[in-house]
Amino acid sequence: MTTPAPVQTNKAGLSKNDYRGLPSTLCQGCGHNSIANQIITACYDLNIVPEEIMKFSGIGCSSKSPAYFLNRSFGFNGLHGRMSSLATGALFADTTLRAIGISGDGDTASIGMGGFKHMVRRNAPIVYIVENNGVYGLTKGQFSATAEVGLNLKHQGTNQYMPVDICMEALASNATFVARSFAGDAKQVKELLKAALSHHGVAVLDIISPCVTFNNQEDATHSYTWGKDHEAPLHEISFIPALDEIELQGEFAEGTVREVSMHDGSTVLLKKLEKDYDPTSRANAFQMLESTQLNNWLVTGLLYINESKPTLTETFNLVDTPLNRLADPDLRPARETIEKINAMMF
Amino acid sequence: MSEKVINDFSVTIATVNGSGSQTANVTLLRALFKMGIPVSGKNLFPSNIQGLPTWYTIRVSKDGFVARRDEQEVVVTLNPVSFARDLASVRPGGAFFYADDIRLPIARSDISVYPMPVKQMARAANVSPALRDYIANMVYVGILAQMLGIDLETIKQALSFHFKGKAQAIDSNFTTIKTAADWATQNLKKSDPYSVAQMDSTSGFVMADGNTAAALGAIYGGLQFAAWYPITPASTLAESLNVFLPQLRKTTDGKQTYAVLQAEDELAAVGMAIGAGWGGLRSMTSTSGPGISLMAEYAGLAYYAEVPVVIWDVQRIGPSTGLPTRTAQGDLTEAYFLSHGDKQNIILLPGSVQECFEFGWKALDLAEHLQAPVFVLSDLDLGMNQWMTKPFEYPDTPLERGKVLWEADLEKLNGVWGRYKDSDGDGIPFRTVPGNKHPSAAWFGRGTGHDENARYTEDANTWENNMARLKKKYDTARTLVPKPVIKAAKGATVGIIAYGSTEPAVEEALALLKQAGGPKTAFLRLRALPCTAEAQDFIKKYERIYIVEANRDGQLRQILSAVLPDQAHKFRSACHSDGLPLTAKWVKEAILAQEEK
Ligand SMILES: Cc1ncc(C[n+]2csc(CCOP(=O)(O)OP(=O)(O)O)c2C)c(N)n1
Ligand code: SF4
Ligand SMILES: [Mg+2]
């Protein structure tokens, strides 16, 4: 008789299964599915307790995916383009929780653009993922605002307008963490997710996530083939949680590695590839986006990071107890005060 | 001079917007109040920061009637642009005060005319040129005080309140007032019959506006999160939160138990409030009609996903941008049906400043109790004007937090529960909120079809059952919302229904109807929708029901006709909307005209 192999667990004592969601109802091969899987892995690797995460989304195929990971986390799949506001309010409920938001390119770059930019500007502490496929998947293949000029889509004709670059928009709104990746590059997605989850503030992740059903022609910017051929990673990225710091030291050769320390003591290691890119400079990030766009490259990696800005909820000097656990005596002013208030009226 | 009229007339003051006349006007109002005379003040202002004509109308009423009147016995004008119109508005036998630098013809011999050397006295005042326009307003305060008999001591008290005890500001203003009063004594001979005299009818009252009251009520209701976007006439509600929350709701170590956020638009404001409500915070937003329109889709999400949130609508006249600084009760049907699909919303209708306070906390209780959006419909008149009001009363019930399960509760249930399950038969399910660490606590909120466990489903029966439960929950709300205030009348065959800020006009109209030998009339002031059993009984009891409202379409009548179709034949609308608060005279005449038919 063989004994069943022991279930592998992480430092939180949880198995991979504890991080899963419901079976996906998205198309097979949809980029969104692989992102959901990397979220599961990243949370497992970081030993995050699912109950300490909140999930948010708008409306779209992408926005459905929070149902497909972290079943034990609270979640809210709200309105099209309105994840930003819904999550902003919810973040105040219990500031000890982390938040992951999943949006689409339509959800963020069209109907939700205003809210997105304001959420970014406020440095709301959330991992804001845009699953960017250049189309509206759920409404069956219309152009999104990130579609490239000249893209031909069935029933839609040819797109005439310049695409919105989500990373550029995020940077312009003073995002404190901006990264781009490609759903087909599982390792990079995972490492960026881990860095984003440890970031102090808003972490915008623009992940090119091909829609195999409505936008996967070989030459379309958001397709697998194009993505694979044109992806130009800025650097190889590894995220190292605070606890593991010492173990991994030797892996990267001196001089080719750049360390970025995160607020919680963990580190992102960027292995130099093409050039010595400095992700702490906003000007560099703009320049990188501009030049790669001119060369028709899909630049991926951590474009910008700034760990020093206070988050939205930090600016409020809230009590330590989560607000949603406060009760009567903390919430209702004492009886004596009413007389003073009335005396303040004329 | 005809027979003296004491404590029973209206004063209108015409100035230029942005000239600082607000301080002068409110000072007069408060001084009269301190003299014990029932009084009301209404600011009829343009949507403009500086330069357009603006009027302030004060009514003194020994009988305690504080509704606006169209008739003006005393008119003061500092504005050449509105001069002709102001002059024409004085009632025969009335008094007209004007700034004597305005050199325009005065072709009326049926009134008393008093020139005021406003410019000259302002120049003589010991203030910087920048403050001259401002101090000019104090000239009419002094002259009116002298000519009407307003006690200068009460004026000083009003100034002291306004300037928060700052001696220099109080003194410089008071000096001008006193100089102007002395000038009037020496130079003006009173020839009109209107004056005031000390009474004792305002003790036990304070003066406040509805928006301040609403904010304070919410604070005493344990408000934890508010998001808003600036709009007249609602802005001062959120701004009052910013004033009073730090005073009332910081811990001893200076930390906040609340957060107020100015959002990028109303859509985001209500979204944030709903996010916070879902997160377990007592949460609200405040806006006016245009903002409510933007909130429509989100209101449906809160209704269907069952998220507590309070939405204050300080109404102004619409549609569209309308007249942003004029009042109306035109958002009732919008709020009632707000958002697509089947639903009715819960609406509270405060009828006084005191009630703005009371509904400020009650709305939060109801929202959490019912897990639903609760709308509170105030209006510009109630929200922005100073009213005599009973002092705010400390809430008489503890915070109602509704059916929230925490870790220990779930432990007892062995983790077995259903987010949208009607376990108690009242249509209200249980909920958990983020941060609850019990492994069966989490659920996935959504505006899409869901079953009792919040799982996505398109099953036809499940959809219909859930919608039936939501309807049942609305019936539960019917038993929980504030009951109407009913003033019965023996032998009455006619009933009046009104709500919100029209109450003083209706109260006075009842007296006028009596004087005019009109029908015996009972009065119900509706304080909420859904329509409670008491309101339904009232409607059934009378032969004819007049529904008085400050809108064009008779919106409450539309709703009540749908709720009680078999009673609809009784309903008659007395509705009117021109941006001004209704007058008692108009209400009386609207009713009498239909009675004669
Ligand atoms: C107010 C509103 N308008 C339109 C829609 C219809 N709608 C649903 S999803 C969607 C677009 C989704 O595109 P995207 O955000 O790119 O997500 P994807 O499906 O591509 O992942 C639209 C327009 C809606 N749900 N709500
Ligand atoms: S339609 Fe496109 S975006 Fe939607 S699930 Fe299918 S592949 Fe994914
Ligand atoms: Mg898309």
Side-chain angles (χ1 to χ4, degrees):
Chain A
M1 266 200 10
T2 50
T3 47
V7 181
Q8 231 186 343
T9 57
N10 62 8
K11 291 202 174 109
L14 299 171
S15 75
K16 251 313 183 27
N17 264 336
D18 294 313
Y19 294 84
R20 293 193 200 284
L22 300 171
S24 169
T25 60
L26 302 177
C27 304
Q28 208 158 39
C30 175
H32 304 349
N33 284 330
S34 44
I35 299 170
N37 288 333
Q38 294 317 314
I39 293 174
I40 292 171
T41 309
C43 290
Y44 174 85
D45 286 358
L46 287 179
N47 309 306
I48 293 172
V49 177
E51 282 79 9
E52 292 173 4
I53 291 247
M54 294 187 286
K55 307 176 287 182
F56 300 96
S57 61
I59 295 289
C61 296
S62 35
S63 293
K64 286 184 177 189
S65 52
Y68 313 138
F69 58 83
L70 300 180
N71 237 357
R72 283 169 44 180
S73 304
F74 277 83
F76 203 152
N77 167 210
L79 298 177
H80 191 29
R82 311 298 166 213
M83 177 180 88
S84 49
S85 48
L86 193 74
T88 297
L91 286 171
F92 286 88
D94 180 344
T95 55
T96 66
L97 306 177
R98 296 190 233 205
I100 300 179
I102 308 284
S103 178
D105 40 325
D107 203 61
T108 287
S110 287
I111 191 168
M113 181 72 115
F116 164 64
K117 295 191 63 131
H118 283 277
M119 178 169 223
V120 168
R121 164 176 94 89
R122 294 186 183 106
N123 203 25
I126 186 171
V127 177
Y128 191 119
I129 299 168
V130 184
E131 300 185 342
N132 187 351
N133 53 15
V135 285
Y136 288 2
L138 194 59
T139 49
K140 298 190 189 289
Q142 298 83 6
F143 291 119
S144 93
T146 63
E148 68 270 25
V149 177
L151 177 68
N152 276 300
L153 288 177
K154 214 170 149 190
H155 309 306
Q156 311 300 324
T158 308
N159 175 42
Q160 306 289 346
Y161 312 114
M162 287 299 287
V164 166
D165 182 326
I166 286 168
C167 292
M168 197 73 113
E169 297 299 334
L171 275 176
S173 308
N174 285 299
T176 53
F177 181 115
V178 181
R180 175 173 288 152
S181 191
F182 172 55
D185 187 347
K187 176 172 182 297
Q188 192 195 44
V189 169
K190 184 177 76 177
E191 296 303 319
L192 284 173
L193 275 168
K194 287 200 236 169
L197 279 161
S198 306
H199 176 60
H200 178 245
V202 71
V204 177
L205 267 170
D206 176 24
I207 307 182
I208 308 303
S209 175
C211 169
V212 291
T213 309
F214 296 111
N215 186 15
N216 200 29
Q217 301 149 40
E218 291 202 349
D219 57 343
T221 329
H222 297 81
S223 71
Y224 274 119
T225 4
W226 195 90
K228 285 240 157 74
D229 294 349
H230 293 76
E231 190 189 0
L234 276 175
H235 33 234
E236 212 168 79
I237 175 168
S238 274
F239 176 79
I240 302 166
L243 301 171
D244 297 343
E245 226 164 348
I246 306 144
E247 278 174 47
L248 283 163
Q249 277 264 313
E251 240 182 65
F252 293 88
E254 284 274 328
T256 61
V257 174
R258 206 193 138 80
E259 275 191 22
V260 181
S261 336
M262 310 293 285
H263 201 257
D264 60 1
S266 53
T267 311
V268 179
L269 289 182
L270 303 170
K271 191 169 166 196
K272 186 178 100 175
L273 283 180
E274 307 257 325
K275 38 183 128 149
D276 200 359
Y277 180 77
D278 176 7
T280 61
S281 154
R282 194 158 161 259
N284 275 2
F286 276 122
Q287 170 131 47
M288 176 58 73
L289 285 169
E290 182 70 20
S291 61
T292 49
Q293 192 197 38
L294 287 176
N295 290 327
N296 209 20
W297 291 342
L298 173 65
V299 64
T300 63
L302 180 58
L303 286 156
Y304 179 66
I305 184 165
N306 178 348
E307 287 283 282
S308 68
K309 295 253 177 74
T311 69
L312 167 67
T313 43
E314 281 171 357
T315 59
F316 281 83
N317 192 26
L318 300 173
V319 289
D320 298 334
T321 315
L323 286 189
N324 70 2
R325 290 190 188 252
L326 296 179
D328 269 42
D330 291 313
L331 297 182
R332 175 166 285 167
R335 188 174 283 274
E336 314 81 81
T337 58
I338 194 84
E339 243 170 76
K340 275 190 226 141
I341 289 295
N342 279 316
M344 288 168 82
M345 305 297 120
F346 187 71
Chain B
M1 183 159 70
S2 50
E3 213 178 306
K4 278 193 168 180
V5 180
I6 297 168
N7 295 347
D8 193 13
F9 57 92
S10 297
V11 183
T12 287
I13 298 151
T15 52
V16 179
N17 202 31
S19 65
S21 55
Q22 229 0 45
T23 311
N25 298 335
V26 176
T27 297
L28 284 168
L29 182 79
R30 289 183 173 137
L32 290 161
F33 172 77
K34 268 279 141 46
M35 287 179 73
I37 311 164
V39 69
S40 66
K42 300 198 187 292
N43 192 9
L44 311 175
F45 61 111
S47 178
N48 159 266
I49 301 301
Q50 205 174 36
L52 289 181
T54 180
W55 291 271
Y56 191 78
T57 164
I58 294 175
R59 177 173 182 187
V60 289
S61 166
K62 59 180 169 29
D63 302 317
F65 294 131
V66 293
R68 188 183 70 86
R69 286 169 72 243
D70 276 326
E71 302 76 21
Q72 303 305 319
E73 284 78 13
V74 178
V75 174
V76 180
T77 189
L78 269 68
N79 189 355
V81 175
S82 63
F83 186 90
R85 171 178 167 179
D86 298 331
L87 176 63
S89 73
V90 187
R91 255 189 135 175
F96 182 63
F97 294 84
Y98 70 101
D100 66 1
D101 53 296
I102 308 175
R103 302 195 199 286
L104 289 167
I106 302 179
R108 280 192 70 169
S109 54
D110 60 336
I111 56 174
S112 303
V113 174
Y114 307 106
M116 304 183 293
V118 171
K119 279 241 160 94
Q120 210 181 310
M121 294 187 109
R123 238 177 283 129
N126 186 21
V127 295
S128 68
L131 279 177
R132 259 185 215 150
D133 272 358
Y134 179 80
I135 213 84
N137 296 305
M138 295 303 151
V139 173
Y140 71 74
V141 173
I143 293 176
L144 273 186
Q146 174 56 33
M147 299 298 282
L148 297 177
I150 303 171
D151 180 2
L152 285 187
E153 208 31 58
T154 63
I155 287 196
K156 199 161 195 180
Q157 286 173 30
L159 284 175
S160 168
F161 177 81
H162 184 88
F163 293 110
K164 304 193 166 74
K166 281 183 214 108
Q168 208 208 327
I170 301 165
D171 288 347
S172 73
N173 282 282
F174 190 73
T175 306
T176 305
I177 292 171
K178 181 80 175 71
T179 314
D182 291 345
W183 176 88
T185 316
Q186 282 154 28
N187 296 285
L188 296 180
K189 189 173 166 346
K190 188 161 174 81
S191 56
D192 69 88
Y194 300 102
S195 63
V196 297
Q198 188 86 31
M199 282 178 77
D200 186 23
S201 294
T202 62
S203 60
F205 287 85
V206 295
M207 292 217 89
D209 62 87
N211 283 352
T212 303
L216 283 166
I219 294 169
Y220 279 85
L223 178 75
Q224 293 172 287
F225 184 85
W228 65 293
Y229 188 75
I231 186 168
T232 305
S235 296
T236 55
L237 201 166
E239 285 162 358
S240 300
L241 291 175
N242 284 334
V243 171
F244 290 106
L245 274 167
Q247 298 179 36
L248 289 164
R249 287 275 302 283
K250 273 193 178 167
T251 54
T252 39
D253 54 352
K255 296 212 167 176
Q256 296 186 186
T257 59
Y258 58 86
V260 179
L261 217 142
Q262 185 183 320
E264 56 271 28
D265 52 40
E266 289 86 347
L267 230 151
V270 76
M272 291 173 188
I274 289 169
W278 170 80
L281 304 187
R282 312 259 290 177
S283 161
M284 71 181 250
T285 182
S286 45
T287 185
S288 190
I292 294 286
S293 295
L294 281 180
M295 293 177 182
E297 191 189 12
Y298 249 129
L301 177 69
Y303 174 86
Y304 185 65
E306 301 181 61
V307 180
V309 66
V310 170
I311 302 171
W312 275 82
D313 176 4
V314 187
Q315 297 166 96
R316 65 192 216 187
I317 196 167
S320 192
T321 306
L323 299 173
T325 58
R326 298 298 156 104
T327 197
Q329 297 179 315
D331 298 348
L332 191 70
T333 45
E334 183 185 40
Y336 188 64
F337 293 117
L338 195 70
S339 208
H340 55 280
D342 286 322
K343 107 222 60 71
Q344 292 84 33
N345 292 314
I346 298 158
I347 298 178
L348 304 188
L349 300 162
S352 65
V353 169
Q354 210 285 124
E355 233 165 53
C356 286
F357 178 88
E358 185 186 331
F359 291 1
W361 59 268
K362 275 198 176 146
L364 290 163
D365 280 351
L366 283 166
E368 286 206 321
H369 193 158
L370 290 156
Q371 298 176 31
V374 171
F375 292 80
V376 192
L377 264 58
S378 171
D379 62 29
L380 181 144
D381 185 20
L382 195 52
M384 288 187 74
N385 285 318
Q386 291 285 320
W387 296 66
M388 289 174 48
T389 177
K390 289 274 181 209
F392 306 134
E393 277 174 39
Y394 196 73
D396 53 5
T397 48
L399 298 183
E400 169 65 64
R401 301 306 307 262
K403 301 182 190 178
V404 178
L405 300 170
W406 283 102
E407 287 89 341
D409 307 307
L410 290 170
E411 208 56 59
K412 274 186 226 140
L413 295 167
N414 291 320
V416 182
W417 72 292
R419 167 65 184 102
Y420 293 111
K421 210 168 158 176
D422 185 11
S423 2
D424 301 332
D426 55 5
I428 308 171
F430 282 85
R431 67 178 181 131
T432 54
V433 298
N436 185 328
K437 302 289 183 339
H438 192 281
S440 66
W443 55 283
F444 194 65
R446 51 171 87 248
T448 44
H450 45 253
D451 66 12
E452 288 183 337
N453 292 305
R455 288 177 305 218
Y456 180 70
T457 175
E458 297 178 6
D459 179 69
N461 284 332
T462 308
W463 176 270
E464 215 165 13
N465 290 341
N466 188 47
M467 289 300 286
R469 180 183 56 77
L470 282 168
K471 199 166 180 180
K472 186 176 184 192
K473 187 168 88 166
Y474 198 66
D475 278 326
T476 301
R478 198 182 301 288
T479 66
L480 297 173
V481 297
K483 298 188 188 320
V485 177
I486 297 174
K487 201 170 171 182
K490 256 217 178 100
T493 51
V494 171
I496 294 180
I497 296 181
Y499 56 94
S501 65
T502 60
E503 136 125 294
V506 177
E507 280 286 353
E508 188 182 355
L510 289 175
L512 295 179
L513 280 168
K514 205 167 169 186
Q515 272 172 30
K520 278 212 164 133
T521 311
F523 173 33
L524 176 143
R525 183 164 65 81
L526 196 70
R527 300 203 298 165
L529 287 171
C531 190
T532 65
E534 295 77 8
Q536 301 196 18
D537 290 346
F538 179 90
I539 291 167
K540 286 173 189 153
K541 202 162 155 188
Y542 299 102
E543 284 170 24
R544 293 183 297 291
I545 304 280
Y546 287 94
I547 303 176
V548 179
E549 8 185 5
N551 55 51
R552 184 192 71 178
D553 292 342
Q555 299 188 6
L556 180 62
R557 178 190 168 155
Q558 291 173 344
I559 291 169
L560 291 179
S561 298
V563 174
L564 301 164
D566 60 327
Q567 302 291 313
H569 64 281
K570 296 177 173 179
F571 297 149
R572 298 182 179 189
S573 266
C575 55
H576 167 58
S577 184
D578 59 1
L580 301 174
L582 293 189
T583 66
K585 193 169 159 219
W586 183 86
V587 173
K588 175 200 78 170
E589 281 164 8
I591 290 174
L592 282 183
Q594 295 187 68
E595 279 293 285
E596 278 157 17
K597 275 189 198 145

